[in-house]
Each structure stands twice: as structure tokens, then as C-alpha cells.
Amino acid sequence: MKFLPRFFKRTVTTSLIFILVSRCNMADLNNPSDPFSDEFVKRSILAEFVKYLLREKVVPDSLALLVYKGTIPYEAGLRVYRVDPDSGLTSDFVSDVRPAVTSAFPGCQPIRISIPPTSQDIITFTGPASDRVVVHKLGVDRSLTMVQDKYGFGAPSTATFSIDGTTMYSSNTLTSPHTINRSTRDISSGYISLNNTGNYPFAVGCSPSSIRTSNLDGIIFTANSLGSPMGIYVHKKTSADIVAPVGGNPYTQPDNPSTNNNLCISETDRLLYMTSTNSSNPIYGYRYDANGNMQILPNSPFSPDPAYTAPAPADNNSTNMVLEPNGKYAAFLYSSGGTFYIRLLAIDANTGNLIPTDQKLSVGNSPKHLDWDRSGKFIYLVSDTGGSTNKYQMEYFQFSQNGTLARGVNSPITFSNMSGEFIAKDLKSIPKYFR
């Protein structure tokens, strides 16, 4: 296993430090709280070993691309590309692309895909005039099998899951006001069933653009993108089937941005970030408590760059900011002087403030659908080449734990001509889990 050399190196380093300091201090040898004791060193080594074991349980495996073609013959569906754990994205893919139809998958213009935690299931929302929830399973042989194609969830456009993947919270824009549904997901079969009991579904603002949950505190956050009031709706779970709105609901921003986009959450630090179309400082940051009460961070809103001029496109509420799985960094897409960039922002562990780093790389035109895989190793996005080539492409970047970002060795990978062929509607990484 790849972690062993690193683990042994750290073990030797820890042991040397122990030997040096023990010459100067008499240790309480059996006291685990004494940093000079044998027991403390043993537990420190064990903790490092466990960290490496946990890190190796999630590795990059695949990348799902949702596409549709708006010219005759109309088509839509999924492509799932293979990801090499070391070098990253490849051009090998399997697909389920079919003629567009309103009565079944893939719909006419599918809107979004989701990947439940600890699974390789792909859930597709087929979008307007169809509004179906479709589940595909990615097999160990890289086969793609549809196991559910179901109507009756309203008009879902965005979703999130409980940490164990058994509960799905999805928006419904057929109701007035718009609401959040709760569904139950069978981990084995992948089948999803509506489970609106108690006071589910609950109302939120117009056009929900992003939903995030704090499984630690039992809180559901929803950002809406249109109408008044516009902000972040916060609901606290008070029992198995009951949620209660928190505070004034929604939580609004003092400068009232014209459009909210996606939410990013760091549960352990109780930090929530929201992107917007604010022309100078597009990222809002909040600290919340165990009951869901929110306070805006002192330096919020944040700018990714002194030369920032515009946000990346947000059509289909596409994601332009993601957090690193360990919650130490954020990646953000934006424009500066007509050129688009991806930039790493460090998250201050004490204040939650976002601090621009020197890791700033140019990307293609109109970047969108940003995704950071759960292993933490790769960041993906969709862009286009424009100009004379006019290609749609997937770009990816490799992240190192020292906070550096490098362009992937196979990046970019083109998937379509910009005229008369497939357009990307969403992009999601699919890791492989080892238990």
C-alpha cells in the first residue's frame, strides 16, 4: 500500500523527536497526556496510522458527465469516464445516451446529477417537461445499468444526501411556495422513494439553487436564487420527522446580491459559504452554531483576486466554488480581464476567512460545473475552447496536500464540438471506496 513508506518515515521522525526531548525531561512513561511519555508516542503513531488508513479508503475512479444535444436528432444522457488514480482523467468512457423523450430517461434537457456518499450510483434529474428521478449503477466491470426511472417527485432540480446516503433532500419547484422533499434511498438496490411525513416537505424561497446539510447538527441549509426575500433558509431537525425554521428565515445578506448560487459547508468547523453574482466580492461566509443560528464572518464578503472582474457563468446554477474534503481550501472560478481562472483560497482555521493563495491557473472559456473529488486529489470542470477550434472540454487539476495545484497530465479532454453536438449539463466525480 502506498501509505506505508510515508507512515514509516513519520514513525521514525516521531521516535527521534521523542528520544531528543526525553534527554531533557523526565517523562511520566504511562501517562498518555504527557508528550514525553511512551504511551503518548504510541498513541500518536497509532493516530497517524489510522489517518493513513482512512485516507486510502477513497480513491479517484470515474467522472460522470451529463449531456444533451439540442439539434436533430435530439439526444441526452450520461457518459462515465475512467479516472486513473495516479494520472487522472482518461478519454475512455461508457455511456447511456438515448433519443430525447419526455416520458422516460433521459428527458429532453436533463438538469443535474448527484452521487450519494459511499456509493457509485448516479442519480439524474431529467428536468422540465419530464421531471423524473433516474438511478444508474456503475458496476465493478464499468458497466452502466439503469435501475430506476420514476415520476412523482415534483420538479426536482438540486439535491443533497445524509452522510450515510440513505436520505435525499431535493427541491420541488412545482409547488407554491417551492419546497424541499425528503426521500429514502435503499443502499443495496439504489431505489429512491418519496418519504414526506411529519412536516416534510417544508417551504423555502423561490428557485432553490443549492441544498446542504450538517449531519453533525441536524441542519438543512437552502439558498434560493430568485424573488424576495432572497437568502439562505435554515431548518433544524427537532425530531425524526419534524424540522423547524431558524431565526428570521431566510438569512439575508446586507448588500443583497442580485443572484445567489451554490453553498459549500465545512461541518466540523461550522462554516458555510455561498457564491453570488456580486461584482466585486462574490463569496459570502458564515459561522453557524449547533442550533443553526448564523453570523456573517467579519471580513465577508470575500474576493478571490484584487483583479477580479466577473464571476464564472452560473447557468443551470452551475457550481463555481467547491471545498477540499478536509476543509482547508476552497477552489473558485472567476474572470479577470477577460481571462478565466481557477484559484485556491486557504480557509483560516480560526476565523473562517478566505485567503487567496498563489495557486492561480488559467482555464478555458465559460468554466462551470466545478467538482472536487472526495479523495481530495483531483478538481474537475467543464469549459470551451472558443476561437477557431470551438470544442467543449473537461479540464482537471491535481491537488497536493501542501496546497499546490497542477494541471492534469491529460488535461484537457475534449468531448464535443460546440456546434450541433453535445452540451454539458453537469459533471460529478465518482470515487471508489475500500472498506
Side-chain angles (χ1 to χ4, degrees):
M1 296 178 70
K2 293 182 179 180
F3 69 84
L4 287 175
R6 302 195 298 269
F7 169 69
F8 288 137
K9 182 179 179 181
R10 185 164 294 191
T11 301
V12 171
T13 303
T14 306
S15 300
L16 288 173
I17 293 172
F18 166 72
I19 292 168
L20 289 172
V21 299
S22 63
R23 292 180 178 178
C24 304
N25 298 274
M26 182 60 69
D28 182 358
L29 296 180
N30 295 314
N31 182 2
S33 64
D34 185 344
F36 303 127
S37 70
D38 285 343
E39 191 64 26
F40 179 88
V41 173
K42 289 177 184 177
R43 294 195 180 191
S44 297
I45 293 173
L46 178 61
E48 291 296 332
F49 185 70
V50 170
K51 284 181 182 178
Y52 281 119
L53 284 177
L54 291 173
R55 187 178 299 168
E56 292 294 318
K57 285 187 175 181
V58 184
V59 297
D61 184 71
S62 303
L63 186 68
L65 180 68
L66 183 65
V67 296
Y68 92 100
K69 184 160 69 74
T71 57
I72 298 173
Y74 303 109
E75 295 177 298
L78 290 169
R79 288 183 180 179
V80 180
Y81 288 80
R82 183 176 64 85
V83 174
D84 183 276
D86 296 315
S87 60
L89 186 62
T90 73
S91 57
D92 299 333
F93 68 89
V94 294
S95 71
D96 186 357
V97 174
R98 309 183 184 193
V101 58
T102 59
S103 59
F105 177 81
C108 292
Q109 289 193 31
I111 190 169
R112 198 180 297 270
I113 50 179
S114 295
I115 312 297
T118 70
S119 90
Q120 291 198 311
D121 292 1
I122 306 167
I123 298 170
T124 304
F125 296 156
T126 60
S130 176
D131 291 324
R132 307 181 74 84
V133 173
V134 180
V135 180
H136 284 80
K137 282 189 169 293
L138 180 64
V140 293
D141 59 350
R142 305 203 60 78
S143 59
L144 197 57
T145 305
M146 187 170 68
V147 297
Q148 179 181 2
D149 182 354
K150 188 176 181 180
Y151 183 77
F153 295 82
S157 60
T158 186
T160 193
F161 292 85
S162 59
I163 194 169
D164 61 1
T166 60
T167 304
M168 180 178 81
Y169 303 96
S170 59
S171 61
N172 179 11
T173 56
L174 281 184
T175 59
S176 181
H178 295 166
T179 54
I180 301 299
N181 284 330
R182 182 182 65 175
S183 299
T184 299
R185 173 177 168 268
D186 184 274
I187 292 178
S188 178
S189 67
Y191 199 81
I192 296 173
S193 303
L194 203 61
N195 183 25
N196 281 332
T197 57
N199 67 344
Y200 289 93
F202 57 85
V204 292
C206 185
S207 298
S209 59
S210 186
I211 311 170
R212 292 292 180 267
T213 58
S214 169
N215 296 277
L216 181 66
D217 296 313
I219 304 170
I220 304 171
F221 300 95
T222 309
N224 70 310
S225 58
L226 295 173
S228 180
M230 185 172 66
I232 300 174
Y233 289 77
V234 185
H235 290 81
K236 170 75 174 179
K237 299 177 187 177
T238 58
S239 65
D241 297 320
I242 303 297
V243 294
V246 177
N249 228 8
Y251 189 92
T252 57
Q253 287 62 243
D255 55 354
N256 193 29
S258 58
T259 302
N260 298 334
N261 193 356
N262 59 289
L263 295 173
C264 298
I265 189 170
S266 176
E267 289 190 52
T268 55
D269 296 315
R270 291 187 172 133
L271 292 170
L272 186 73
Y273 299 95
M274 183 192 74
T275 60
S276 73
T277 55
N278 188 310
S279 60
S280 57
N281 298 283
I283 309 169
Y284 292 81
Y286 312 88
R287 180 87 67 178
Y288 62 91
D289 64 21
N291 295 314
N293 299 298
M294 299 217 301
Q295 282 191 324
I296 196 163
L297 297 178
N299 292 343
S300 178
F302 304 99
S303 175
D305 191 327
Y308 170 88
T309 54
D315 58 301
N316 189 30
N317 297 312
S318 59
T319 305
N320 59 2
M321 178 174 162
V322 288
L323 297 191
E324 182 248 346
N326 291 325
K328 295 181 179 179
Y329 294 92
F332 188 72
L333 295 173
Y334 65 99
S335 173
S336 175
T339 300
F340 288 99
Y341 295 95
I342 181 172
R343 187 164 198 164
L344 285 187
L345 310 173
I347 300 175
D348 186 288
N350 295 317
T351 65
N353 289 338
L354 297 178
I355 305 167
T357 73
D358 61 358
Q359 299 300 295
K360 172 184 173 182
L361 297 171
S362 63
V363 297
N365 298 323
S366 302
K368 61 191 73 173
H369 307 309
L370 191 64
D371 186 78
W372 203 322
D373 80 61
R374 288 174 184 160
S375 76
K377 190 170 185 178
F378 297 116
I379 303 174
Y380 307 93
L381 61 93
V382 171
S383 65
D384 68 71
T385 62
S388 58
T389 55
N390 288 313
K391 302 283 187 181
Y392 286 120
Q393 60 188 10
M394 295 173 291
E395 299 183 63
Y396 75 100
F397 302 84
Q398 186 164 345
F399 173 76
S400 298
Q401 291 299 319
N402 62 4
T404 58
L405 200 61
R407 202 175 301 276
V409 295
N410 299 323
S411 183
I413 290 179
T414 60
F415 63 88
S416 177
N417 291 315
M418 291 178 65
S419 177
E421 295 189 16
F422 289 108
I423 297 172
K425 296 296 290 183
D426 202 1
L427 182 79
K428 290 291 189 300
S429 57
I430 308 174
K432 182 179 289 184
Y433 297 88
F434 293 95
R435 297 177 176 82

